[in-house]
Amino acid sequence: MAYSIWRCMLNRSATRWHLYRSLSLYNSSHGFNAEEIKNKLAPFTGGSVTLVKGENGIAELCIDNPSRMNAFTGTMMMELEERISDLENWQEGKGLIVYGAKNTFCSGSDLNAVKAISNPKDGILMCMLMQNTLTRLQRLPLISVALVQGKALGGGAELCTACDFRLMTEDSEIRFVHKLMGLVPGWGGATRLIQLVGSRNALKLLSSTLRVHPQYALNIGLADDILSSGTDGPLEKTQTWIASYTKGAAEVNRAVKKVITSGREKLIEDSLRSEKDIFGTVWGGPANMQALEKGTKHN
Ligand SMILES: CC[C@@H](C(=O)O)C(=O)SCCNC(=O)CCNC(=O)[C@H](O)C(C)(C)COP(=O)(O)OP(=O)(O)OC[C@H]1O[C@@H](n2cnc3c(N)ncnc32)[C@H](O)[C@@H]1OP(=O)(O)O
């Protein structure tokens, strides 16, 4: 009887969570026409966004356009959305590593594409497409970490802020170069940067276009660790790093991320109600009953 009640609550809460999560930031009511901007971006080809979902529940998403410092071409922006959709449906997932090919992170939009859609209407449509995608990335019920090697510039700096954590190699930099381009962030990077480092530090980074090196990033809370060179490569080190945050059953790890996402985005009362709903999806579940049966102690 108890199990069937649990399953019923699980289904109801999961449905509510899916509805909340699948509601994109922008839709037609905001003037967003996905097909229109995708048709504009399609001619700008090159590079790829690849996804490998590991047996250990950790996926690796690679921004792969090394001949252009992993800049996002038009087709790569669309591929990123497809990979995020794949991850939203990966029920066994616990974690995600986002990194760039050939030891550099990402240099933002492909400037060839940028020049071709430099009118305000198309720029806003591209902005809404990328904000939708990066918000969905941030809301994934997976613990995500950006492995920053080399340079994360412009939209690349914004991409790394959409992950829960950032690890930087010793020679890497994060740089919000937008002001030098006569721009401000458009992919949601300003909003997320303020959440990460506070409005004063965010204003410093945007107005000075400072090259943020690892130690300074650590000091202001933009980076979570610095990966020193050694026998293991950066990706292996990042796998080891994320493993310490994703131990145990997938459904419990996913519930942990969901309560944080809820607390980060909602008003207090709404967040508390969501926390209750998410709690209901794991209370009395297999991992909870197993821990109780084991008499788990935490000494
Ligand atoms: C919302 C923000 C978003 C937007 O507005 O849409 C943006 O992100 S705007 C773009 C912001 N990014 C940039 O302005 C970066 C421009 N690139 C550079 O500053 C430098 O390339 C670098 C990233 C600092 C690397 O310099 P370096 O190590 O000297 O290498 P190269 O400059 O020779 O680059 C190698 C190769 O890659 C091409 N490249 C690099 N970045 C881009 C890019 N964003 N778009 C297109 N192509 C890019 C560069 O042109 C070189 O190609 P070749 O000249 O053909 O060798």
Side-chain angles (χ1 to χ4, degrees):
M1 177 66 172
Y3 183 78
S4 54
I5 292 171
W6 175 72
R7 284 303 312 179
C8 174
M9 288 172 69
L10 176 62
N11 294 337
R12 204 168 54 233
S13 302
T15 305
R16 257 204 296 277
W17 172 258
H18 179 73
L19 285 174
Y20 161 69
R21 193 198 64 195
S22 62
L23 292 176
S24 285
L25 198 59
Y26 300 108
N27 53 45
S28 54
S29 68
H30 306 100
F32 179 54
N33 183 330
E35 286 326 301
E36 180 182 351
I37 189 58
K38 288 179 180 179
N39 290 335
K40 293 264 173 88
L41 291 170
F44 302 97
T45 60
S48 63
V49 178
T50 60
L51 180 66
V52 176
K53 293 182 281 191
E55 290 293 319
N56 61 351
I58 309 298
E60 294 177 355
L61 186 140
C62 180
I63 314 301
D64 192 354
N65 189 16
S67 69
R68 295 187 198 152
M69 302 298 282
N70 298 328
F72 270 98
T73 61
T75 49
M76 286 172 70
M77 290 182 192
M78 294 188 274
E79 284 186 23
L80 179 62
E81 185 193 42
E82 292 161 13
R83 303 297 171 265
I84 299 303
S85 296
D86 191 352
L87 288 166
E88 286 173 338
N89 295 306
W90 186 36
Q91 295 307 309
E92 300 74 33
K94 299 198 283 187
L96 171 66
I97 299 169
V98 177
Y99 71 103
K102 296 277 191 308
N103 304 319
T104 194
F105 190 69
C106 171
S107 66
S109 290
D110 181 330
L111 290 166
N112 304 303
V114 167
K115 288 168 193 156
I117 60 165
S118 57
N119 65 83
K121 179 174 182 290
D122 290 343
I124 290 285
L125 284 173
M126 180 271 292
C127 161
M128 290 195 276
L129 174 70
M130 289 304 287
Q131 277 201 19
N132 271 355
T133 302
L134 294 186
T135 302
R136 288 167 60 191
L137 163 58
Q138 189 178 36
R139 287 175 175 167
L140 285 171
L142 309 175
I143 291 179
S144 58
V145 55
L147 167 56
V148 179
Q149 307 171 86
K151 300 187 190 297
L153 302 187
E158 297 193 63
L159 169 60
C160 83
T161 66
C163 295
D164 297 312
F165 301 107
R166 280 144 297 279
L167 304 183
M168 295 178 73
T169 54
E170 287 167 333
D171 59 348
S172 64
E173 72 176 53
I174 298 173
R175 194 179 184 195
F176 292 84
V177 296
H178 304 76
K179 185 180 172 187
L180 300 174
M181 312 285 291
L183 291 170
V184 294
W187 294 0
T191 302
R192 293 188 297 268
L193 188 61
I194 291 167
Q195 288 182 324
L196 288 168
V197 303
S199 58
R200 289 165 50 237
N201 281 322
L203 182 56
K204 282 180 185 172
L205 298 193
L206 297 191
S207 60
S208 69
T209 69
L210 181 74
R211 296 173 195 273
V212 183
H213 295 298
Q215 189 54 54
Y216 183 67
L218 210 55
N219 295 347
I220 64 173
L222 181 55
D224 299 273
D225 222 332
I226 301 173
L227 293 181
S228 52
S229 51
T231 47
D232 284 347
L235 200 49
E236 291 77 12
K237 284 198 173 80
T238 305
Q239 278 279 0
T240 303
W241 190 89
I242 199 172
S244 58
Y245 295 94
T246 53
K247 289 177 183 152
E251 69 269 16
V252 179
N253 280 278
R254 295 165 72 88
V256 167
K257 173 62 186 286
K258 287 175 184 176
V259 290
I260 296 302
T261 299
S262 169
R264 180 170 61 200
E265 296 194 14
K266 293 186 174 184
L267 295 174
I268 291 283
E269 286 195 2
D270 293 342
S271 177
L272 290 170
R273 292 191 185 104
S274 291
E275 186 171 320
K276 175 259 299 173
D277 290 343
I278 296 164
F279 173 81
T281 68
V282 288
W283 176 260
N288 180 218
M289 299 314 291
Q290 189 179 35
L292 292 173
E293 281 151 25
K294 271 172 59 180
T296 303
K297 293 230 186 304
H298 312 291
N299 43 22

